[in-house]
């Protein structure tokens, strides 16, 4: 096994995120490789990070966004060891601006509606779309699905498609027969100017 932990980041990260990363990384297999980059639009950055990891022999891709943390340092290892091709924890969306924020997950229900599953859900659920901030993807997904794997429509082609690169990825791999499994027991915080906790509640950060 040769997992790659990939972090597309912005200009700065918080100390809470650094502490989580250091604690979680040492729990991963010794063969784990870490790559981070911040020079391109997010969709191009993700695509390039994955291509580099594939060229270097990655067996699994772990995506960790620079504003997503979990309370358990074993969480990335739990993500890696799950027996699914695409497996994700869940964290609150920053939009829509509701309180509590909904999970960054979309699911099509039997009545045809597409909406956010609620925080009352527990355990594993197959979904249609999920944010890429805390996700494991097996190598064969990228081998079977052609590039571009990630695309932010308005960002790269100037069209009116504002679909984010993570939802584009989800739609594309599902069209190639892959399932997306989200674990509602693997709950993360989504750091902002405040902190949105594991249940979607906004908590202000106070410097002491």
């Amino acid at each position: 096994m040769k997992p790659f932990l990939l972090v597309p980041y912005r200009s700065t990260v918080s100390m809470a995120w650094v502490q989580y990363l250091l604690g979680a990384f040492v729990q991963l297999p010794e063969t784990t490789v870490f790559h981070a980059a911040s020079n391109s639009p997010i969709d191009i950055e993700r695509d390039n990070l994955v291509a580099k990891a594939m060229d270097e022999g990655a067996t699994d891709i772990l995506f960790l966004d620079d504003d997503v943390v979990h309370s358990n340092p074993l969480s990335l290892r739990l993500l890696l060891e799950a027996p699914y091709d695409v497996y994700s924890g869940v964290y609150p969306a920053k939009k829509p601006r509701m309180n509590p924020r909904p999970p960054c997950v979309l699911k099509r229900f039997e009545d045809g509606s597409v909406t956010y599953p609620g925080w009352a859900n527990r355990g594993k659920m197959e979904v249609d779309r999920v944010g890429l901030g805390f996700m494991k993807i097996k190598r064969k997904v990228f081998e079977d699905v052609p590039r571009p794997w990630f695309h932010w429509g308005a960002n790269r082609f100037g069209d009116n498609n504002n679909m984010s690169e993570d939802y584009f990825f989800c739609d594309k791999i599902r069209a190639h027969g892959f399932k997306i499994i989200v674990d509602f027991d693997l709950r993360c915080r989504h750091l902002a100017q405040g902190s949105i906790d594991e249940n979607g509640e906004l908590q202000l950060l106070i410097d002491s």
Side-chain angles (χ1 to χ4, degrees):
M1 176 181 284
K2 189 177 181 181
F4 274 63
L5 178 59
L6 305 182
V7 178
Y9 69 97
R10 290 157 292 187
S11 58
T12 60
V13 296
S14 71
M15 183 55 67
W17 185 83
V18 172
Q19 290 174 325
Y20 169 68
L21 175 65
L22 292 175
F25 189 78
V26 297
Q27 304 297 332
L28 293 171
E30 292 183 0
T31 52
T32 302
V33 179
F34 175 79
H35 282 322
S38 179
N39 298 320
S40 303
I42 185 65
D43 53 344
I44 298 175
E45 203 64 78
R46 288 195 195 276
D47 232 57
N48 290 342
L49 281 167
V50 170
K52 178 177 175 63
M54 294 288 283
D55 287 344
E56 295 179 13
T59 58
D60 304 85
I61 298 296
L62 291 170
F63 268 124
L64 176 66
D65 280 3
D66 66 354
D67 56 0
V68 174
V69 299
H70 194 278
S71 59
N72 183 357
L74 287 171
S75 52
L76 281 177
R77 186 160 193 131
L78 294 173
L79 200 67
L80 176 64
E81 293 176 347
Y84 304 104
D85 294 329
V86 183
Y87 184 61
S88 177
V90 63
Y91 53 90
K94 290 184 178 177
K95 297 179 181 179
R97 298 189 182 281
M98 303 159 53
N99 200 25
R101 264 55 168 187
C104 193
V105 177
L106 286 173
K107 179 176 175 61
R108 185 179 299 277
F109 291 89
E110 291 182 1
D111 63 1
S113 63
V114 179
T115 189
Y116 300 96
W119 287 109
N121 288 285
R122 289 292 182 179
K124 299 171 181 63
M125 176 188 295
E126 182 180 349
V127 301
D128 292 80
R129 293 173 172 176
V130 63
L132 289 166
F134 194 78
M135 180 182 282
K136 185 274 296 284
I137 310 159
K138 287 190 175 293
R139 179 185 182 91
K140 68 178 182 178
V141 176
F142 297 107
E143 291 177 332
D144 291 354
V145 177
R147 293 179 75 176
W149 298 304
F150 310 99
H151 164 57
W152 193 303
N155 189 331
R156 293 178 63 177
F157 298 109
D159 56 30
N160 293 321
N161 177 13
N162 291 316
M163 180 184 293
S164 62
E165 88 289 352
D166 37 15
Y167 286 0
F168 174 89
F169 172 76
C170 291
D171 288 357
K172 190 166 187 176
I173 65 170
R174 288 181 64 251
H176 282 77
F178 290 100
K179 296 180 178 181
I180 301 167
I181 306 299
V182 165
D183 191 339
F184 273 82
D185 291 329
L186 200 55
R187 299 186 176 205
C188 303
R189 285 185 293 146
H190 203 175
L191 303 177
Q193 290 182 341
S195 175
I196 307 171
D197 71 17
E198 295 88 338
N199 297 309
E201 298 286 351
L202 178 62
Q203 306 291 335
L204 296 179
L205 295 178
I206 300 175
D207 293 329
S208 57

